[in-house]
C-alpha cells in the first residue's frame, strides 16, 4: 500500500530515488520522504503530500550520498503528516516500510517501558527502534533478523545504517520486494516498474527472505538466515513500459487500450487455426470439478460476479462468488473437487492473498487470474491465467476489468466445451463473437462526446443510482464503484428489480439514475423498473445495445453500444460507464489517476 525504493551506488542517489518514487506514487501518495547516508550522517527529508513537494525540498537543499532509501505513503497508523511520513530514523538507522506491523502497540509498550521515546504515531517506528537497540550487540544483518522475529504482520522493509554506510538491507514478509541489478549500482523496490528506468535485470524476494545490497553485489538469505541463490529475470520492454504519452491521464490511456487488452487475451488463449481455446493442464480434471468458487475485491469482485452469469448459462458447474475479505474469515467446507479461482489485477491484494492462503492450508486446488504474473497471488496458486493487460497505473481499474472478464469468459467456454455442456457449433460461435469485441470497443470509444454530455448531469447531483438486471447488475455495481472512487459522489449499484424493496425511497426529482438495459431476457422488466423511477422524478441516463428502443422524453440521455450477443454485452456496457466516471471526475476537478484516500495496490487488510 506504500511504495519503497533503495539504491546503493557509486554516485549520488537522491535524484534517482525521486524518479522512482514518482513511479511508485500509484501505491500511495499522502506523504513522501527519503534518507541518504551523507558524510556519516543519516540525512532525512520528508513532506506531506506528493513527491513533487519532496522534489522542491531537495531542489532547495540537495541531499548527497551514494546510498539511500525512499518512500511514498498510504497512511494506516497515524494521520498523513511530515512526522508520520517515512523514512523513520534514529541516530543509527533509517527504515522505510510497506505493510502493517500488527503487534506494534505491544512492542511500543515494551520499548517505552525501557525509557525509549517515539516521535510518530506509526507502526514503523518500532522497527527503527528495535533495530537500533539490537545494533548495540549485533551486526546489521543479525539486528534485522532478530527484529523480524519479533514482528507480526505483513511487510516489506528497506533499511540503511549510519555506521555501515555501504549497505542496504531489504526484508519481505507478505508484501512484495524486487531487487534490481546494474553496473556499480543495485536496488530494492516495491515493484519492478519503480526500477524500470535504471535496470531490466530483476529478482524477487520470496516470503520471509532478506537481502543485503552494496553497489557491487547482492546477497540473499532465507528465513533462517541461510544464504540462497536467486534467478535473475530480464524484463522485456512490454513488462516495464508505462508512459502517459499523448494522454492527460493514465486512466484514459488505459480505457483506450482496451481493444488491445481483449486482443492480447484472444491471441494468448485462442488458437485461431484450430478454432480452439488453449487452456490446458487444469489442476482438477474438468469433468470432476464439482464447484467453482470465484474470489476477489473491488473491481475484481465485480468481474467474478459477471462471470457467475456466464458459468450458470453455459456450464453445469455449480458456481459461488465471494468477496475476499469475507471469504478469509468464513467457516467454509472445503472440497477437493472444488476449484478456487482468485481474481486480482495486482496479485498483491492482502485480502485476496489471505483467502488464497486459506485454501492452500486446506489442500484444495487454486487458480489465479492476474495481471502481474510475478505477483504473490500468481506465485502461490497452483495454476495461473494471466490477463496480459500490461501495467495498469490509474488507481481506478479499467483495462484490467475487461482483461479479467475476457479470461473468465474464455475459461468458461473451454470448461463448457470439454465437459460437453455446449456443442462444438456453440463453442465456435461464441469464440468468433468474442473476436468481434475489440472493434466494438473501438466504436464505443468513438462516442466519447455523448458521455461528456451525460457527465454534466452529475455536476450538482447529490447522489446517483446505477441499475441493471442479470449480468448488467454487476456492471451497475462496477459503474457505481468507478463513479464514487473518482468523483467522490455517492453512487449505488442495484439490481433494478430490488428497487421497490427499499432504495426507491431515495429517488427524488432530478436524481441521476443510470439504467443499463441490453436487449436480453430482462429488457422489458428493466424498462418497467425504469418507469417506476421516472414516476418518482428520477433523471434517466439509458445505456443499451437495443437498436430498436427509441429514446423518449423521459430519458434524459442515451448511449448505445454495439450488439454482438447477449452473453458478451457486459463487456461493452462497461465502456460508457468508465468514460462517464472519468468525465464526471474531470468536471469536478478531481485527481483522476490518484483519487483521495485510495491506492492502487491494497497490501493491508
Ligand atoms: O489488484 P486487485 O485487482 O486485487 O485490486 C482489487 C481492488 O482493490 C481494486 O479493484 C479496486 O477496487 C479498484 N480501485 C477499483 O477501481
Amino acid at each position: 500500500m506504500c511504495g519503497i525504493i533503495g539504491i546503493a551506488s557509486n554516485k549520488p542517489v537522491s535524484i534517482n530515488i525521486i524518479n522512482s518514487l514518482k513511479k511508485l506514487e500509484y501505491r500511495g501518495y499522502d506523504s513522501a520522504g527519503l534518507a541518504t547516508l551523507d558524510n556519516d550522517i543519516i540525512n532525512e527529508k520528508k513532506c506531506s503530500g506528493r513527491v513533487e513537494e519532496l522534489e522542491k525540498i531537495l531542489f532547495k537543499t540537495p541531499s548527497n550520498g551514494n546510498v539511500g532509501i525512499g518512500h511514498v505513503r498510504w497512511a494506516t497508523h497515524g494521520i498523513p503528516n511530515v512526522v508520520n511520513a517515512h523514512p523513520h530514523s534514529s541516530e543509527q538507522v533509517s527504515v522505510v516500510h510497506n505493510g502493517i506491523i500488527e503487534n506494534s502497540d505491544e512492542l511500543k509498550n515494551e520499548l517505552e517501558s525501557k525509557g525509549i521515546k517515539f516521535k510518530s504515531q506509526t507502526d514503523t517506528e518500532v522497527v527503527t527502534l528495535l533495530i537500533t537497540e539490537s545494533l548495540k550487540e549485533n551486526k546489521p544483518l543479525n539486528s534485522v533478523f532478530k527484529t523480524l522475529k519479533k514482528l507480526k504482520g505483513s511487510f516489506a522493509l528497506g533499511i540503511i545504517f549510519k555506521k555501515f554506510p555501504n549497505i542496504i538491507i531489504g526484508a519481505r514478509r507478505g508484501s512484495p520486494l524486487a531487487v534490481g541489478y546494474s553496473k556499480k549500482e543495485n536496488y530494492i523496490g516495491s515493484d519492478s516498474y519503480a526500477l524500470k528506468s535504471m535496470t531490466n535485470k530483476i529478482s524477487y524476494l520470496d516470503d520471509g527472505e532478506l537481502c543485503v545490497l552494496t553497489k557491487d553485489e547482492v546477497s540473499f538469505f532465507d528465513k533462517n538466515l541461510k544464504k540462497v541463490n536467486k534467478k535473475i529475470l530480464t524484463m522485456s520492454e512490454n513488462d516495464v513500459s508505462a508512459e502517459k504519452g499523448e494522454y492527460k491521464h493514465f486512466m484514459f490511456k488505459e480505457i483506450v487500450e482496451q481493444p488491445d487488452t481483449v486482443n492480447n487475451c484472444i491471441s494468448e488463449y485462442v488458437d485461431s487455426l484450430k478454432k480452439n481455446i488453449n487452456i490446458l493442464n487444469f489442476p482438477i480434471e474438468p469433468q470432476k470439478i464439482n464447484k467453482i468458487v470465484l474470489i476477489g475485491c473491488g473491481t475484481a469482485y465485480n468481474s467474478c460476479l459477471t462471470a457467475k452469469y456466464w458459468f450458470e448459462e453455459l456450464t453445469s458447474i455449480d458456481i459461488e462468488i465471494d468477496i475476499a475479505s469475507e471469504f478469509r474469515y468464513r467457516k467454509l467446507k472445503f472440497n477437493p473437487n472444488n476449484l478456487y479461482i482468485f481474481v486480482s489485477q495486482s496479485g498483491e491484494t492482502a485480502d485476496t492473498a489471505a483467502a488464497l492462503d486459506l485454501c492452500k492450508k486446506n489442500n484444495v486446488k487454486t487458480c489465479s487470474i492476474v495481471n502481474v504474473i510475478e505477483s504473490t497471488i500468481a506465485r502461490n496458486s497452483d495454476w495461473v491465467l494471466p490477463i496480459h493487460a500490461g501495467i495498469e497505473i490509474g488507481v481506478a481499474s479499467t483495462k484490467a476489468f475487461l482483461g479479467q472478464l475476457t479470461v473468465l469468459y474464455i475459461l468458461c467456454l473451454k470448461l463448457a466445451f470439454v465437459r460437453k455442456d455446449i456443442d462444438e457449433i456453440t463453442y465456435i460461435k461464441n469464440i468468433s463473437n468474442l473476436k468481434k469485441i475489440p472493434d466494438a470497443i473501438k466504436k464505443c470509444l468513438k462516442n466519447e462526446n455523448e458521455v461528456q454530455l451525460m457527465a454534466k448531469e452529475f455536476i450538482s447531483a447529490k447522489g446517483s443510482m446505477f441499475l441493471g438486471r442479470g449480468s448488467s447488475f454487476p456492471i451497475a455495481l462496477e459503474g457505481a464503484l468507478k463513479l464514487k472512487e473518482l468523483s467522490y459522489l455517492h453512487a449505488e449499484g442495484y439490481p433494478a428489480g430490488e428497487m421497490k424493496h427499499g432504495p426507491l425511497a431515495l429517488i427524488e426529482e432530478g436524481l441521476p439514475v443510470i439504467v443499463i438495459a441490453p436487449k436480453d431476457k430482462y429488457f422489458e422488466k428493466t424498462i418497467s423498473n425504469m418507469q417506476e423511477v421516472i414516476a418518482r422524478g428520477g433523471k434517466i441516463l439509458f445505456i443499451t445495445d437495443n437498436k430498436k428502443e427509441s429514446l423518449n422524453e423521459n430519458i434524459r440521455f442515451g448511449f448505445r453500444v454495439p450488439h454482438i450477443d447477449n452473453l458478451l454485452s457486459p463487456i461493452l456496457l462497461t465502456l460508457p460507464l468508465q468514460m462517464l466516471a472519468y468525465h464526471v471526475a474531470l468536471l469536478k476537478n478531481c485527481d483522476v489517476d490518484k483519487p483521495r484516500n485510495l491506492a492502487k495496490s491494497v497490501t493491508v487488510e
Side-chain angles (χ1 to χ4, degrees):
M1 204 66 182
C2 301
I4 68 181
I5 174 78
I7 308 179
S9 177
N10 64 350
K11 55 185 191 288
V13 291
S14 60
I15 291 177
N16 279 343
I17 289 180
I18 291 286
N19 290 337
S20 299
L21 289 182
K22 285 182 183 165
K23 300 219 161 64
L24 287 169
E25 258 193 318
Y26 76 96
R27 301 177 69 92
Y29 34 84
D30 57 41
S31 51
L34 62 75
T36 55
L37 289 163
D38 188 355
N39 277 326
D40 292 338
I41 58 150
I42 293 171
N43 185 351
E44 185 191 272
K45 299 219 163 83
K46 315 202 275 198
C47 68
S48 65
R50 304 285 164 94
V51 176
E52 56 185 51
E53 294 306 314
L54 187 65
E55 196 172 20
K56 283 183 200 155
I57 297 173
L58 270 188
F59 191 69
K60 281 193 203 137
T61 51
S63 283
N64 291 318
N66 297 353
V67 169
I69 49 179
H71 189 267
V72 282
R73 180 168 186 244
W74 182 82
T76 58
H77 294 58
I79 57 166
N81 61 15
V82 179
V83 179
N84 290 332
H86 298 214
H88 289 281
S89 311
S90 66
E91 181 69 20
Q92 298 300 329
V93 293
S94 187
V95 176
V96 285
H97 162 218
N98 168 30
I100 285 194
I101 313 296
E102 285 169 1
N103 57 340
S104 63
D105 285 350
E106 196 184 303
L107 295 168
K108 192 172 177 181
N109 288 342
E110 276 172 33
L111 288 165
E112 281 178 334
S113 69
K114 292 185 193 162
I116 294 167
K117 297 245 174 318
F118 281 75
K119 292 182 271 188
S120 74
Q121 290 109 42
T122 63
D123 52 344
T124 310
E125 205 177 348
V126 296
V127 183
T128 307
L129 297 174
L130 284 171
I131 297 174
T132 307
E133 282 298 287
S134 187
L135 274 172
K136 291 177 184 163
E137 290 163 10
N138 298 291
K139 293 264 173 58
L141 184 58
N142 259 312
S143 302
V144 174
F145 180 65
K146 290 192 167 165
T147 299
L148 290 178
K149 288 198 153 176
K150 297 185 178 161
L151 305 181
K152 289 189 185 146
S154 144
F155 46 81
L157 298 165
I159 309 145
I160 55 172
F161 305 82
K162 176 180 156 179
K163 292 204 179 133
F164 301 86
N166 301 323
I167 64 168
I168 300 178
I169 295 186
R172 172 191 173 160
R173 192 189 297 161
S175 305
L177 197 63
V179 169
Y181 311 83
S182 188
K183 209 168 161 211
K184 296 278 172 216
E185 204 165 86
N186 291 310
Y187 321 90
I188 51 169
S190 288
D191 59 27
S192 53
Y193 175 57
L195 311 179
K196 170 200 162 189
S197 57
M198 302 180 289
T199 183
N200 65 347
K201 303 270 181 247
I202 297 286
S203 299
Y204 290 95
L205 261 72
D206 285 320
D207 217 31
E209 288 184 340
L210 295 101
C211 64
V212 181
L213 46 137
T214 67
K215 65 180 172 37
D216 299 310
E217 61 175 352
V218 187
S219 316
F220 294 92
F221 302 87
D222 69 10
K223 58 175 185 262
N224 301 315
L225 221 53
K226 208 173 126 223
K227 254 192 161 185
V228 286
N229 292 324
K230 279 272 144 192
K231 243 204 224 151
I232 301 181
L233 313 167
T234 303
M235 291 185 295
S236 71
E237 192 42 38
N238 280 350
D239 291 333
V240 291
S241 79
E243 303 298 339
K244 256 189 275 183
E246 68 198 88
Y247 298 95
K248 254 176 95 184
H249 300 103
F250 277 110
M251 183 191 175
F252 197 71
K253 174 179 177 259
E254 288 157 4
I255 289 176
V256 171
E257 282 171 355
Q258 293 181 110
D260 295 336
T261 308
V262 177
N263 261 330
N264 290 346
C265 291
I266 295 174
S267 37
E268 192 63 28
Y269 293 107
V270 178
D271 182 335
S272 289
L273 275 181
K274 293 190 187 138
K275 298 198 168 94
N276 196 0
I277 290 171
N278 283 328
I279 296 187
L280 307 164
N281 305 325
F282 283 88
I284 304 175
E285 203 186 307
Q287 304 293 352
K288 294 199 174 136
I289 298 176
N290 168 58
K291 184 199 266 186
I292 287 183
V293 186
L294 290 170
I295 301 141
C297 300
T299 287
Y301 169 73
N302 291 339
S303 70
C304 297
L305 211 51
T306 312
K308 178 176 86 165
Y309 293 87
W310 292 330
F311 279 92
E312 281 176 355
E313 186 68 31
L314 296 176
T315 75
S316 54
I317 306 172
D318 203 7
I319 179 108
E320 193 179 308
I321 317 296
D322 213 343
I323 292 175
S325 57
E326 293 296 318
F327 179 90
R328 63 185 288 191
Y329 292 113
R330 282 176 57 205
K331 200 175 161 200
L332 294 155
K333 287 152 197 77
F334 287 97
N335 180 333
N337 289 331
N338 290 357
L339 178 59
Y340 295 81
I341 303 183
F342 296 84
V343 181
S344 170
Q345 187 285 129
S346 62
E348 299 296 348
T349 300
D351 286 319
T352 314
L356 169 63
D357 281 350
L358 181 67
C359 286
K360 286 179 75 76
K361 283 192 190 118
N362 284 281
N363 295 319
V364 287
K365 294 292 180 203
T366 58
C367 163
S368 60
I369 295 183
V370 291
N371 196 24
V372 183
I373 45 173
E374 62 274 12
S375 62
T376 309
I377 291 173
R379 285 188 293 156
N380 288 351
S381 40
D382 296 315
W383 197 48
V384 187
L385 298 173
I387 64 169
H388 301 288
I391 294 170
E392 189 181 66
I393 300 290
V395 167
S397 191
T398 52
K399 63 177 180 175
F401 181 63
L402 256 57
Q404 289 158 1
L405 289 182
T406 309
V407 172
L408 283 162
Y409 182 77
I410 289 173
L411 175 65
C412 173
L413 281 185
K414 179 73 181 185
L415 278 170
F417 183 56
V418 294
R419 285 169 63 100
K420 301 196 172 42
D421 293 329
I422 55 173
D423 59 23
E424 196 170 2
I425 296 172
T426 316
Y427 180 58
I428 291 173
K429 187 179 110 240
N430 285 336
I431 294 176
S432 75
N433 282 342
L434 180 66
K435 288 186 183 164
K436 295 179 193 155
I437 288 286
D439 281 342
I441 297 176
K442 286 183 194 156
K443 278 191 192 141
C444 292
L445 294 175
K446 278 194 188 135
N447 295 333
E448 188 198 347
N449 53 342
E450 290 176 27
V451 179
Q452 274 173 305
L453 288 178
M454 268 192 195
K456 291 189 182 148
E457 301 292 316
F458 290 79
I459 300 177
S460 52
K462 282 197 276 167
S464 60
M465 298 215 65
F466 289 68
L467 307 180
R469 294 180 85 123
S471 62
S472 301
F473 161 52
I475 302 307
L477 288 180
E478 177 59 7
L481 177 62
K482 287 287 97 86
L483 188 69
K484 62 188 140 196
E485 79 175 320
L486 287 174
S487 64
Y488 322 143
L489 182 72
H490 182 73
E492 290 235 29
Y494 239 84
E498 186 68 10
M499 285 295 284
K500 53 191 175 294
H501 300 293
L504 208 53
L506 292 171
I507 305 295
E508 56 185 25
E509 199 59 41
L511 185 90
V513 179
I514 295 86
V515 175
I516 305 156
K519 183 68 188 143
D520 56 15
K521 65 179 178 194
Y522 305 95
F523 185 74
E524 279 75 25
K525 306 258 173 237
T526 310
I527 297 299
S528 303
N529 299 139
M530 181 177 83
Q531 297 303 347
E532 290 153 13
V533 171
I534 291 172
R536 285 152 184 91
K539 186 161 62 182
I540 302 294
L541 311 170
F542 191 69
I543 297 182
T544 188
D545 63 359
N546 188 353
K547 286 197 198 106
K548 290 198 193 113
E549 181 72 6
S550 59
L551 303 179
N552 61 46
E553 69 278 11
N554 290 320
I555 297 179
R556 190 59 172 254
F557 284 104
F559 190 98
R560 224 182 286 277
V561 304
H563 174 82
I564 290 179
D565 137 79
N566 287 344
L567 281 172
L568 288 165
S569 68
I571 297 187
L572 297 177
L573 293 164
T574 303
L575 273 298
L577 303 180
Q578 293 174 337
M579 291 192 280
L580 179 68
Y582 174 77
H583 282 292
V584 177
L586 284 188
L587 290 171
K588 295 185 115 205
N589 276 327
C590 299
D591 188 336
V592 173
D593 284 335
K594 300 189 189 84
R596 73 180 179 203
N597 304 339
L598 300 179
K600 182 76 182 155
S601 176
V602 187
T603 55
V604 294
E605 188 174 347

